């Protein structure tokens, strides 16, 4: 689960470097990956916690597969958001 934070940090550094090469020196470019990754991390934790409270028992097959499925879906969503933001940064005109 903490891979979200690590991936966000790596993406933030890359976004910062790419935007600086284009002449843009704004924190909004490197803050987006950090915010998106940590929000998805918190959403995944919350989803798992709510589902475990709702199901109640740890012997349920639904609870055993729910955690990995949420992690994979959140990771796919993070990669999708970062890819869209990366293409937008690459399309910026140089200053």
């Amino acid at each position: 689960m903490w891979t979200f934070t690590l991936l966000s940090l790596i993406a933030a550094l890359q976004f910062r470097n790419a935007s600086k090469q284009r002449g843009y020196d704004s924190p909004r470019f490197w803050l987006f990956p950090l915010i998106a990754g940590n929000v998805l991390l918190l959403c995944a934790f919350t989803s798992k916690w709510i589902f475990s409270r709702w199901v109640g028992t740890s012997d349920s097959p639904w609870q055993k597969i729910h955690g990995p499925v949420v992690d994979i879906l959140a990771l796919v969503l993070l990669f999708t958001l970062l890819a869209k933001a990366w293409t937008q940064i690459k399309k910026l005109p140089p200053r």
Side-chain angles (χ1 to χ4, degrees):
M1 283 301 294
W2 295 104
T3 57
F4 289 99
T5 304
L6 181 64
L7 289 173
S8 297
L9 286 172
I10 293 169
L13 291 172
Q14 294 298 322
F15 279 33
R16 181 176 169 262
N17 291 339
S19 63
K20 273 193 167 185
Q21 286 177 353
R22 299 235 179 242
Y24 297 89
D25 193 22
S26 175
R28 67 179 171 187
F29 294 113
W30 58 267
L31 278 177
F32 176 75
L34 293 175
I35 293 170
N38 289 320
V39 165
L40 283 172
L41 176 71
L42 290 175
C43 288
F45 275 145
T46 305
S47 171
K48 290 179 191 180
W49 181 76
I50 289 172
F51 190 78
S52 69
R53 294 290 179 186
W54 183 56
V55 172
T57 63
S58 61
D59 296 335
S60 171
W62 292 109
Q63 190 165 356
K64 291 179 183 175
I65 65 168
H66 179 261
V69 168
V70 168
D71 291 342
I72 291 170
L73 290 177
L75 197 60
V76 167
L77 182 60
L78 179 65
F79 280 135
T80 303
L81 290 173
L82 292 178
K84 286 185 178 189
W86 183 254
T87 57
Q88 289 178 355
I89 287 177
K90 288 297 184 180
K91 289 181 182 178
L92 288 173
R95 273 189 171 179

Coordinates of all heavy atoms in Angstrom, one line a residue:
M1 N 0.8 -1.2 0.0 CA 0.0 0.0 0.0 C 0.9 1.3 0.0 O 0.4 2.3 -0.5 CB -0.9 0.0 1.2 CG -2.1 -0.9 1.2 SD -3.2 -0.5 -0.2 CE -3.8 1.1 0.2
W2 N 2.0 1.2 0.6 CA 2.8 2.4 0.7 C 3.5 2.6 -0.7 O 4.3 3.6 -0.8 CB 3.8 2.3 1.8 CG 3.1 2.3 3.1 CD1 2.8 1.3 3.9 CD2 2.4 3.4 3.7 NE1 2.1 1.7 5.0 CE2 1.8 3.0 4.9 CE3 2.3 4.8 3.4 CZ2 1.1 3.8 5.7 CZ3 1.5 5.6 4.2 CH2 0.9 5.1 5.4
T3 N 3.3 1.8 -1.6 CA 3.9 2.0 -2.9 C 3.2 3.2 -3.6 O 3.8 3.9 -4.4 CB 3.7 0.8 -3.9 OG1 2.3 0.5 -3.9 CG2 4.4 -0.4 -3.3
F4 N 2.0 3.6 -3.2 CA 1.3 4.8 -3.7 C 2.2 6.0 -3.3 O 2.4 6.9 -4.2 CB -0.1 5.0 -3.0 CG -1.0 4.0 -3.5 CD1 -1.4 2.8 -2.8 CD2 -1.7 4.1 -4.7 CE1 -2.3 1.9 -3.2 CE2 -2.6 3.2 -5.2 CZ -2.9 2.1 -4.4
T5 N 2.7 6.1 -2.1 CA 3.5 7.2 -1.7 C 4.8 7.3 -2.4 O 5.2 8.3 -2.9 CB 3.7 7.2 -0.2 OG1 2.4 7.1 0.5 CG2 4.4 8.4 0.3
L6 N 5.4 6.1 -2.6 CA 6.7 6.0 -3.3 C 6.5 6.4 -4.8 O 7.3 7.2 -5.3 CB 7.3 4.6 -3.1 CG 8.6 4.4 -3.8 CD1 9.7 5.3 -3.2 CD2 9.0 3.0 -3.8
L7 N 5.5 5.9 -5.4 CA 5.3 6.2 -6.8 C 4.9 7.7 -7.0 O 5.3 8.3 -7.9 CB 4.1 5.4 -7.4 CG 4.4 3.9 -7.6 CD1 3.2 3.1 -8.0 CD2 5.5 3.8 -8.7
S8 N 4.2 8.2 -6.0 CA 3.8 9.7 -6.1 C 5.1 10.5 -5.9 O 5.2 11.6 -6.6 CB 2.9 10.0 -4.9 OG 1.7 9.3 -5.1
L9 N 6.0 10.1 -5.0 CA 7.2 10.9 -4.9 C 8.1 10.9 -6.2 O 8.6 11.9 -6.6 CB 8.0 10.4 -3.7 CG 7.5 10.7 -2.3 CD1 8.3 10.0 -1.3 CD2 7.6 12.2 -2.1
I10 N 8.2 9.7 -6.8 CA 9.0 9.6 -8.0 C 8.3 10.4 -9.1 O 9.0 11.1 -9.9 CB 9.1 8.1 -8.4 CG1 10.0 7.4 -7.4 CG2 9.7 8.0 -9.8 CD1 10.0 5.9 -7.5
A11 N 7.0 10.3 -9.2 CA 6.3 11.0 -10.2 C 6.4 12.5 -10.0 O 6.5 13.3 -11.0 CB 4.8 10.6 -10.3
A12 N 6.3 13.0 -8.8 CA 6.5 14.4 -8.4 C 7.8 14.9 -8.9 O 7.9 16.0 -9.5 CB 6.2 14.6 -7.0
L13 N 8.9 14.2 -8.7 CA 10.2 14.6 -9.1 C 10.2 14.7 -10.6 O 10.8 15.6 -11.2 CB 11.2 13.6 -8.6 CG 11.5 13.7 -7.1 CD1 12.4 12.6 -6.7 CD2 12.0 15.0 -6.7
Q14 N 9.7 13.7 -11.3 CA 9.7 13.7 -12.8 C 8.8 14.8 -13.3 O 9.2 15.5 -14.3 CB 9.2 12.4 -13.3 CG 10.1 11.2 -13.0 CD 11.5 11.4 -13.6 OE1 11.6 11.9 -14.7 NE2 12.5 11.0 -12.9
F15 N 7.7 15.1 -12.7 CA 6.8 16.2 -13.2 C 7.5 17.5 -13.0 O 7.4 18.4 -13.8 CB 5.5 16.2 -12.4 CG 4.5 15.2 -12.9 CD1 4.9 14.0 -13.4 CD2 3.1 15.4 -12.8 CE1 3.9 13.0 -13.9 CE2 2.2 14.5 -13.2 CZ 2.6 13.3 -13.8
R16 N 8.2 17.7 -11.9 CA 8.9 18.9 -11.6 C 10.0 19.1 -12.6 O 10.2 20.2 -13.1 CB 9.5 18.8 -10.2 CG 10.3 20.1 -9.8 CD 10.8 20.0 -8.3 NE 11.7 21.1 -8.1 CZ 13.0 21.0 -8.1 NH1 13.5 19.8 -8.4 NH2 13.8 22.0 -7.9
N17 N 10.8 18.1 -12.9 CA 11.9 18.2 -13.9 C 11.3 18.5 -15.3 O 11.8 19.4 -16.0 CB 12.7 16.9 -13.9 CG 13.5 16.8 -12.7 OD1 13.8 17.7 -12.0 ND2 13.9 15.5 -12.4
A18 N 10.2 17.9 -15.7 CA 9.7 18.1 -17.0 C 9.1 19.5 -17.1 O 9.2 20.1 -18.2 CB 8.6 17.0 -17.3
S19 N 8.4 20.0 -16.1 CA 7.8 21.3 -16.2 C 8.9 22.4 -16.1 O 8.8 23.4 -16.8 CB 6.8 21.5 -15.1 OG 7.4 21.5 -13.8
K20 N 10.0 22.1 -15.4 CA 11.1 23.1 -15.4 C 11.8 23.2 -16.7 O 12.2 24.2 -17.2 CB 12.1 22.8 -14.3 CG 11.8 23.3 -13.0 CD 12.9 23.2 -12.0 CE 12.7 24.1 -10.8 NZ 13.8 24.1 -9.9
Q21 N 11.9 22.0 -17.4 CA 12.5 22.0 -18.7 C 11.7 22.8 -19.7 O 12.2 23.4 -20.7 CB 12.7 20.6 -19.2 CG 13.8 19.8 -18.6 CD 13.9 18.4 -19.1 OE1 13.0 17.9 -19.8 NE2 14.9 17.7 -18.6
R22 N 10.4 22.9 -19.5 CA 9.5 23.6 -20.4 C 9.4 25.1 -20.0 O 8.8 25.9 -20.7 CB 8.2 23.0 -20.4 CG 8.1 21.6 -20.9 CD 7.2 21.5 -22.0 NE 7.1 20.1 -22.6 CZ 7.5 19.9 -23.8 NH1 7.9 20.8 -24.6 NH2 7.4 18.7 -24.3
G23 N 10.0 25.4 -18.8 CA 10.0 26.8 -18.4 C 8.9 27.2 -17.4 O 8.7 28.3 -17.1
Y24 N 8.2 26.2 -16.9 CA 7.2 26.4 -15.9 C 7.7 26.0 -14.5 O 8.1 24.9 -14.3 CB 5.9 25.6 -16.2 CG 5.3 26.0 -17.5 CD1 5.7 25.3 -18.7 CD2 4.3 26.9 -17.6 CE1 5.1 25.7 -19.9 CE2 3.7 27.3 -18.8 CZ 4.1 26.7 -20.0 OH 3.6 27.0 -21.1
D25 N 7.7 26.9 -13.6 CA 8.2 26.7 -12.3 C 7.1 26.9 -11.2 O 7.1 27.8 -10.4 CB 9.4 27.6 -12.0 CG 10.1 27.1 -10.7 OD1 10.0 25.9 -10.4 OD2 10.9 27.9 -10.1
S26 N 6.0 26.1 -11.3 CA 4.9 26.2 -10.4 C 4.8 24.9 -9.6 O 5.0 23.8 -10.1 CB 3.6 26.4 -11.3 OG 2.5 26.4 -10.4
P27 N 4.4 25.0 -8.3 CA 4.3 23.8 -7.5 C 3.1 23.0 -7.9 O 3.0 21.8 -7.5 CB 4.2 24.4 -6.1 CG 3.9 25.8 -6.2 CD 4.3 26.2 -7.5
R28 N 2.2 23.5 -8.7 CA 1.0 22.7 -9.0 C 1.3 21.5 -9.9 O 0.6 20.5 -9.9 CB -0.1 23.6 -9.7 CG 0.4 24.1 -11.1 CD -0.7 24.9 -11.8 NE -0.1 25.4 -12.9 CZ -0.7 26.3 -13.7 NH1 -1.9 26.7 -13.4 NH2 -0.1 26.8 -14.8
F29 N 2.4 21.6 -10.6 CA 2.8 20.4 -11.4 C 3.3 19.3 -10.6 O 3.0 18.1 -10.9 CB 3.9 20.8 -12.4 CG 3.4 21.8 -13.4 CD1 3.9 23.1 -13.5 CD2 2.4 21.5 -14.4 CE1 3.4 24.0 -14.4 CE2 2.0 22.4 -15.3 CZ 2.4 23.7 -15.3
W30 N 4.1 19.5 -9.5 CA 4.6 18.4 -8.7 C 3.7 18.1 -7.5 O 3.9 17.1 -6.9 CB 6.0 18.7 -8.3 CG 6.3 19.9 -7.5 CD1 6.7 21.1 -8.0 CD2 6.2 20.1 -6.1 NE1 6.8 22.0 -7.0 CE2 6.6 21.4 -5.8 CE3 5.9 19.2 -5.1 CZ2 6.6 21.9 -4.5 CZ3 5.9 19.7 -3.8 CH2 6.2 21.0 -3.5
L31 N 2.8 19.0 -7.2 CA 1.9 18.7 -6.1 C 0.8 17.7 -6.5 O 0.3 16.9 -5.7 CB 1.3 19.9 -5.5 CG 2.1 20.7 -4.6 CD1 1.4 22.0 -4.2 CD2 2.4 19.9 -3.3
F32 N 0.4 17.7 -7.8 CA -0.7 16.8 -8.2 C -0.4 15.3 -7.9 O -1.2 14.7 -7.4 CB -1.0 17.1 -9.7 CG -2.0 16.1 -10.2 CD1 -3.4 16.3 -9.8 CD2 -1.7 15.0 -11.0 CE1 -4.3 15.4 -10.3 CE2 -2.6 14.1 -11.4 CZ -4.0 14.3 -11.1
P33 N 0.8 14.8 -8.3 CA 1.0 13.4 -8.0 C 1.0 13.1 -6.5 O 0.5 12.0 -6.1 CB 2.4 13.1 -8.6 CG 2.7 14.2 -9.5 CD 1.9 15.4 -9.1
L34 N 1.5 14.0 -5.7 CA 1.6 13.7 -4.3 C 0.2 13.7 -3.7 O -0.2 12.8 -2.9 CB 2.4 14.8 -3.6 CG 3.9 14.8 -3.9 CD1 4.5 16.0 -3.2 CD2 4.5 13.5 -3.4
I35 N -0.7 14.6 -4.1 CA -2.0 14.7 -3.6 C -2.8 13.5 -4.1 O -3.5 12.9 -3.3 CB -2.7 16.0 -4.0 CG1 -2.0 17.2 -3.3 CG2 -4.2 16.0 -3.7 CD1 -2.4 18.6 -3.8
A36 N -2.7 13.2 -5.4 CA -3.5 12.1 -6.0 C -3.1 10.8 -5.3 O -4.0 10.0 -5.0 CB -3.3 12.0 -7.5
G37 N -1.8 10.5 -5.2 CA -1.4 9.3 -4.6 C -1.8 9.1 -3.1 O -2.3 8.0 -2.7
N38 N -1.7 10.1 -2.3 CA -2.1 10.1 -0.9 C -3.6 10.0 -0.7 O -4.1 9.3 0.2 CB -1.4 11.2 -0.1 CG 0.0 11.0 0.0 OD1 0.5 9.9 0.2 ND2 0.8 12.1 -0.1
V39 N -4.3 10.7 -1.6 CA -5.8 10.6 -1.5 C -6.2 9.2 -1.9 O -7.1 8.6 -1.2 CB -6.5 11.7 -2.4 CG1 -7.9 11.4 -2.6 CG2 -6.3 13.0 -1.8
L40 N -5.7 8.6 -2.9 CA -6.0 7.2 -3.3 C -5.6 6.2 -2.2 O -6.3 5.3 -1.9 CB -5.4 6.8 -4.6 CG -6.1 7.4 -5.8 CD1 -5.2 7.1 -7.1 CD2 -7.5 6.8 -6.0
L41 N -4.5 6.5 -1.5 CA -4.1 5.6 -0.4 C -5.1 5.7 0.7 O -5.5 4.6 1.2 CB -2.7 6.1 0.1 CG -2.1 5.4 1.3 CD1 -1.8 3.9 0.9 CD2 -1.0 6.1 1.8
L42 N -5.5 6.9 1.1 CA -6.5 7.0 2.1 C -7.9 6.4 1.8 O -8.5 5.8 2.6 CB -6.7 8.5 2.5 CG -5.5 9.1 3.2 CD1 -5.7 10.6 3.5 CD2 -5.2 8.4 4.6
C43 N -8.2 6.6 0.5 CA -9.5 6.0 0.0 C -9.5 4.5 0.1 O -10.4 3.8 0.5 CB -9.8 6.5 -1.4 SG -10.3 8.2 -1.5
A44 N -8.3 3.9 -0.3 CA -8.2 2.5 -0.2 C -8.2 2.0 1.2 O -8.9 1.0 1.5 CB -6.9 2.0 -0.9
F45 N -7.5 2.6 2.1 CA -7.6 2.3 3.5 C -9.0 2.4 4.1 O -9.5 1.5 4.8 CB -6.7 3.2 4.4 CG -5.2 2.7 4.4 CD1 -4.2 3.7 4.5 CD2 -4.9 1.4 4.4 CE1 -2.9 3.3 4.5 CE2 -3.6 1.0 4.4 CZ -2.6 1.9 4.5
T46 N -9.7 3.5 3.7 CA -11.0 3.7 4.2 C -12.0 2.6 3.7 O -12.8 2.1 4.4 CB -11.5 5.1 3.8 OG1 -10.6 6.0 4.3 CG2 -12.9 5.4 4.4
S47 N -11.9 2.3 2.4 CA -12.7 1.3 1.8 C -12.5 -0.1 2.5 O -13.5 -0.8 2.7 CB -12.4 1.2 0.3 OG -13.1 0.1 -0.3
K48 N -11.3 -0.4 2.7 CA -11.0 -1.7 3.4 C -11.6 -1.7 4.8 O -12.1 -2.7 5.2 CB -9.5 -2.0 3.4 CG -8.9 -2.3 2.1 CD -7.4 -2.5 2.3 CE -6.7 -2.6 1.1 NZ -5.2 -2.8 1.3
W49 N -11.4 -0.6 5.5 CA -11.9 -0.5 6.9 C -13.4 -0.6 6.9 O -14.0 -1.4 7.7 CB -11.4 0.7 7.5 CG -11.9 0.9 8.9 CD1 -11.4 0.2 10.0 CD2 -13.0 1.7 9.4 NE1 -12.1 0.6 11.2 CE2 -13.1 1.5 10.8 CE3 -13.8 2.6 8.8 CZ2 -14.0 2.2 11.6 CZ3 -14.8 3.2 9.6 CH2 -14.8 3.0 10.9
I50 N -14.1 0.1 6.0 CA -15.6 0.1 6.0 C -16.1 -1.3 5.6 O -17.0 -1.8 6.2 CB -16.1 1.2 5.0 CG1 -15.9 2.6 5.6 CG2 -17.6 1.0 4.7 CD1 -16.2 3.7 4.7
F51 N -15.4 -1.9 4.6 CA -15.9 -3.2 4.2 C -15.6 -4.3 5.3 O -16.5 -5.1 5.5 CB -15.1 -3.7 3.0 CG -15.7 -4.9 2.3 CD1 -16.8 -4.9 1.6 CD2 -15.0 -6.1 2.5 CE1 -17.3 -6.0 1.0 CE2 -15.5 -7.3 1.9 CZ -16.7 -7.2 1.2
S52 N -14.5 -4.2 6.1 CA -14.3 -5.1 7.2 C -15.3 -4.9 8.3 O -15.7 -5.9 8.9 CB -12.9 -5.0 7.7 OG -12.7 -3.7 8.4
R53 N -15.7 -3.7 8.5 CA -16.8 -3.5 9.5 C -18.1 -4.0 9.0 O -18.9 -4.4 9.8 CB -16.9 -2.0 9.8 CG -15.7 -1.4 10.5 CD -15.6 -2.0 11.9 NE -14.4 -1.4 12.5 CZ -14.0 -1.8 13.7 NH1 -14.6 -2.7 14.4 NH2 -12.9 -1.3 14.2
W54 N -18.4 -3.9 7.8 CA -19.7 -4.3 7.2 C -19.8 -5.8 7.2 O -20.8 -6.3 7.6 CB -19.8 -3.7 5.8 CG -21.1 -4.0 5.1 CD1 -22.4 -3.7 5.6 CD2 -21.3 -4.6 3.9 NE1 -23.3 -4.1 4.7 CE2 -22.7 -4.7 3.7 CE3 -20.4 -5.1 2.9 CZ2 -23.2 -5.3 2.5 CZ3 -21.0 -5.7 1.8 CH2 -22.3 -5.7 1.6
V55 N -18.7 -6.5 6.7 CA -18.8 -7.9 6.7 C -18.7 -8.5 8.1 O -19.4 -9.5 8.4 CB -17.6 -8.5 5.8 CG1 -17.5 -10.0 5.9 CG2 -17.9 -8.0 4.3
G56 N -17.7 -8.0 8.9 CA -17.7 -8.4 10.3 C -16.7 -9.6 10.6 O -16.0 -9.5 11.5
T57 N -16.7 -10.7 9.8 CA -15.9 -11.8 10.1 C -14.7 -11.8 9.2 O -14.8 -11.5 8.0 CB -16.7 -13.1 10.0 OG1 -17.1 -13.3 8.6 CG2 -17.9 -13.1 10.9
S58 N -13.6 -12.3 9.6 CA -12.4 -12.4 8.8 C -12.4 -13.7 8.0 O -11.5 -13.9 7.2 CB -11.1 -12.3 9.6 OG -11.1 -13.3 10.6
D59 N -13.3 -14.6 8.2 CA -13.4 -15.9 7.5 C -14.1 -15.8 6.2 O -14.2 -16.7 5.5 CB -14.0 -16.9 8.4 CG -13.2 -17.2 9.7 OD1 -12.0 -17.0 9.6 OD2 -13.7 -17.7 10.6
S60 N -14.7 -14.6 5.9 CA -15.5 -14.5 4.7 C -14.6 -14.4 3.5 O -13.5 -13.8 3.5 CB -16.3 -13.1 4.8 OG -16.9 -12.9 3.6
P61 N -14.9 -15.2 2.5 CA -14.1 -15.1 1.2 C -14.2 -13.8 0.6 O -13.2 -13.4 -0.1 CB -14.7 -16.2 0.3 CG -16.1 -16.5 0.9 CD -16.1 -16.1 2.3
W62 N -15.2 -13.0 0.8 CA -15.3 -11.7 0.2 C -14.3 -10.7 0.8 O -13.7 -9.9 0.1 CB -16.7 -11.1 0.4 CG -17.7 -11.8 -0.4 CD1 -18.7 -12.6 0.1 CD2 -17.9 -11.7 -1.8 NE1 -19.5 -13.1 -0.9 CE2 -19.0 -12.6 -2.1 CE3 -17.2 -11.1 -2.8 CZ2 -19.4 -12.8 -3.4 CZ3 -17.7 -11.3 -4.1 CH2 -18.7 -12.1 -4.4
Q63 N -14.1 -10.9 2.1 CA -13.1 -10.0 2.8 C -11.7 -10.4 2.4 O -10.8 -9.5 2.3 CB -13.2 -10.1 4.3 CG -12.4 -9.1 5.0 CD -12.8 -8.9 6.4 OE1 -13.8 -9.5 6.9 NE2 -12.1 -8.1 7.1
K64 N -11.4 -11.6 2.1 CA -10.1 -12.1 1.7 C -9.7 -11.5 0.3 O -8.5 -11.2 0.1 CB -9.9 -13.6 1.7 CG -10.0 -14.2 3.1 CD -9.9 -15.7 3.1 CE -10.0 -16.2 4.5 NZ -10.1 -17.7 4.5
I65 N -10.6 -11.4 -0.6 CA -10.3 -10.9 -1.9 C -10.5 -9.4 -2.0 O -10.0 -8.7 -3.0 CB -11.1 -11.6 -3.0 CG1 -12.6 -11.3 -2.9 CG2 -10.7 -13.1 -3.0 CD1 -13.4 -11.8 -4.1
H66 N -11.3 -8.8 -1.1 CA -11.6 -7.3 -1.2 C -10.3 -6.5 -1.2 O -10.2 -5.5 -1.9 CB -12.6 -6.9 -0.1 CG -12.9 -5.5 -0.2 ND1 -12.3 -4.6 0.7 CD2 -13.8 -4.8 -0.9 CE1 -12.8 -3.4 0.4 NE2 -13.7 -3.5 -0.6
G67 N -9.4 -6.7 -0.2 CA -8.2 -5.9 -0.1 C -7.3 -5.9 -1.3 O -7.0 -4.8 -1.8
P68 N -6.9 -7.0 -1.8 CA -6.1 -7.0 -3.1 C -6.8 -6.3 -4.3 O -6.2 -5.6 -5.1 CB -5.8 -8.4 -3.3 CG -5.9 -9.1 -2.0 CD -7.0 -8.4 -1.3
V69 N -8.1 -6.5 -4.4 CA -8.9 -6.0 -5.5 C -8.9 -4.4 -5.4 O -8.6 -3.7 -6.4 CB -10.3 -6.5 -5.6 CG1 -11.2 -5.8 -6.5 CG2 -10.2 -8.0 -6.0
V70 N -9.1 -3.9 -4.2 CA -9.1 -2.5 -4.0 C -7.7 -1.9 -4.2 O -7.6 -0.9 -4.9 CB -9.6 -2.1 -2.5 CG1 -9.3 -0.7 -2.2 CG2 -11.0 -2.5 -2.4
D71 N -6.7 -2.6 -3.8 CA -5.3 -2.1 -4.0 C -5.0 -2.1 -5.5 O -4.4 -1.1 -6.0 CB -4.3 -3.1 -3.4 CG -4.3 -3.0 -1.9 OD1 -4.9 -2.0 -1.4 OD2 -3.8 -3.9 -1.2
I72 N -5.4 -3.1 -6.3 CA -5.1 -3.1 -7.7 C -5.9 -2.0 -8.4 O -5.3 -1.3 -9.3 CB -5.4 -4.5 -8.3 CG1 -4.3 -5.5 -7.7 CG2 -5.4 -4.5 -9.8 CD1 -4.7 -7.0 -8.1
L73 N -7.1 -1.9 -8.1 CA -8.0 -0.8 -8.7 C -7.4 0.6 -8.4 O -7.4 1.4 -9.3 CB -9.4 -1.0 -8.3 CG -10.2 -2.2 -8.9 CD1 -11.6 -2.2 -8.3 CD2 -10.2 -2.2 -10.4
A74 N -7.0 0.8 -7.2 CA -6.5 2.1 -6.8 C -5.2 2.4 -7.6 O -4.9 3.5 -8.0 CB -6.3 2.2 -5.3
L75 N -4.3 1.3 -7.7 CA -3.1 1.5 -8.4 C -3.3 1.8 -9.9 O -2.6 2.6 -10.5 CB -2.2 0.2 -8.2 CG -0.8 0.3 -8.6 CD1 -0.1 1.4 -7.7 CD2 -0.1 -1.0 -8.4
V76 N -4.3 1.1 -10.5 CA -4.6 1.4 -11.9 C -5.1 2.8 -12.1 O -4.7 3.5 -13.0 CB -5.6 0.3 -12.4 CG1 -6.3 0.8 -13.7 CG2 -5.0 -1.0 -12.5
L77 N -5.9 3.2 -11.1 CA -6.4 4.6 -11.2 C -5.3 5.6 -11.0 O -5.3 6.7 -11.7 CB -7.5 4.8 -10.1 CG -8.2 6.2 -10.1 CD1 -8.9 6.5 -11.4 CD2 -9.2 6.3 -8.9
L78 N -4.4 5.3 -10.1 CA -3.2 6.2 -9.9 C -2.4 6.3 -11.2 O -2.0 7.4 -11.7 CB -2.3 5.8 -8.8 CG -1.1 6.6 -8.5 CD1 -1.5 8.0 -8.1 CD2 -0.2 5.9 -7.5
F79 N -2.1 5.2 -11.8 CA -1.4 5.2 -13.1 C -2.1 6.0 -14.2 O -1.5 6.7 -15.0 CB -1.0 3.8 -13.6 CG 0.1 3.2 -12.9 CD1 0.1 1.9 -12.4 CD2 1.3 3.9 -12.7 CE1 1.1 1.3 -11.7 CE2 2.4 3.3 -12.0 CZ 2.3 2.0 -11.6
T80 N -3.4 5.8 -14.2 CA -4.2 6.5 -15.2 C -4.2 8.0 -15.0 O -4.0 8.8 -16.0 CB -5.7 6.0 -15.2 OG1 -5.7 4.6 -15.4 CG2 -6.5 6.7 -16.2
L81 N -4.3 8.5 -13.8 CA -4.3 9.9 -13.5 C -2.9 10.5 -13.8 O -2.8 11.6 -14.4 CB -4.6 10.1 -12.0 CG -6.1 9.9 -11.6 CD1 -6.2 10.0 -10.1 CD2 -7.0 10.9 -12.3
L82 N -1.8 9.7 -13.4 CA -0.5 10.2 -13.7 C -0.2 10.3 -15.2 O 0.5 11.2 -15.6 CB 0.5 9.4 -12.9 CG 0.5 9.5 -11.4 CD1 1.5 8.5 -10.8 CD2 0.7 10.9 -10.9
A83 N -0.7 9.3 -15.9 CA -0.4 9.3 -17.3 C -1.1 10.4 -18.0 O -0.5 11.1 -18.9 CB -0.9 7.9 -17.9
K84 N -2.3 10.7 -17.6 CA -3.0 11.9 -18.2 C -2.4 13.2 -17.9 O -2.2 14.1 -18.7 CB -4.5 11.9 -17.8 CG -5.3 10.8 -18.4 CD -6.8 11.0 -18.0 CE -7.6 9.9 -18.8 NZ -9.0 10.1 -18.6
A85 N -1.9 13.3 -16.7 CA -1.2 14.5 -16.3 C 0.1 14.7 -17.0 O 0.5 15.8 -17.4 CB -1.0 14.6 -14.8
W86 N 0.8 13.5 -17.2 CA 2.1 13.6 -17.8 C 1.9 14.0 -19.3 O 2.8 14.8 -19.8 CB 2.7 12.2 -17.8 CG 4.1 12.1 -18.4 CD1 4.4 11.6 -19.6 CD2 5.3 12.6 -17.8 NE1 5.8 11.7 -19.8 CE2 6.3 12.4 -18.7 CE3 5.6 13.3 -16.7 CZ2 7.7 12.8 -18.5 CZ3 6.9 13.7 -16.4 CH2 7.9 13.4 -17.4
T87 N 0.9 13.5 -20.0 CA 0.7 13.9 -21.4 C 0.4 15.4 -21.4 O 0.8 16.1 -22.4 CB -0.4 13.1 -22.0 OG1 -1.6 13.2 -21.3 CG2 0.0 11.6 -22.2
Q88 N -0.3 15.9 -20.5 CA -0.6 17.3 -20.5 C 0.6 18.2 -20.2 O 0.8 19.3 -20.8 CB -1.7 17.7 -19.4 CG -3.1 17.2 -19.7 CD -4.1 17.5 -18.6 OE1 -3.7 18.0 -17.6 NE2 -5.3 17.2 -18.9
I89 N 1.5 17.7 -19.4 CA 2.8 18.4 -19.2 C 3.6 18.4 -20.4 O 4.2 19.4 -20.8 CB 3.5 17.9 -18.0 CG1 2.8 18.3 -16.7 CG2 5.0 18.3 -17.9 CD1 3.4 17.7 -15.4
K90 N 3.6 17.3 -21.1 CA 4.4 17.2 -22.3 C 3.9 18.0 -23.5 O 4.6 18.4 -24.4 CB 4.5 15.7 -22.8 CG 5.4 14.9 -21.9 CD 6.8 15.4 -22.0 CE 7.8 14.6 -21.2 NZ 9.1 15.1 -21.3
K91 N 2.6 18.3 -23.4 CA 1.9 19.2 -24.4 C 2.1 20.7 -24.2 O 1.7 21.5 -25.0 CB 0.4 18.8 -24.6 CG 0.2 17.5 -25.2 CD -1.3 17.3 -25.3 CE -1.6 15.9 -25.9 NZ -3.1 15.6 -25.9
L92 N 2.6 21.0 -23.0 CA 2.8 22.5 -22.7 C 3.8 23.1 -23.7 O 4.8 22.5 -24.0 CB 3.3 22.6 -21.3 CG 2.4 22.4 -20.2 CD1 3.1 22.4 -18.8 CD2 1.2 23.4 -20.2
P93 N 3.5 24.3 -24.2 CA 4.4 25.0 -25.0 C 5.6 25.5 -24.2 O 5.4 25.9 -23.0 CB 3.6 26.1 -25.6 CG 2.5 26.4 -24.6 CD 2.2 25.1 -24.0
P94 N 6.8 25.5 -24.8 CA 7.9 26.1 -24.0 C 7.8 27.5 -23.8 O 7.2 28.3 -24.6 CB 9.1 25.7 -24.9 CG 8.6 25.0 -26.0 CD 7.1 25.0 -26.0
R95 N 8.3 28.0 -22.7 CA 8.2 29.4 -22.3 C 9.5 30.1 -22.7 O 10.6 29.6 -22.6 CB 8.0 29.6 -20.9 CG 6.5 29.7 -20.5 CD 6.4 30.1 -19.1 NE 5.0 30.3 -18.9 CZ 4.5 30.7 -17.7 NH1 5.3 30.9 -16.7 NH2 3.2 30.9 -17.6

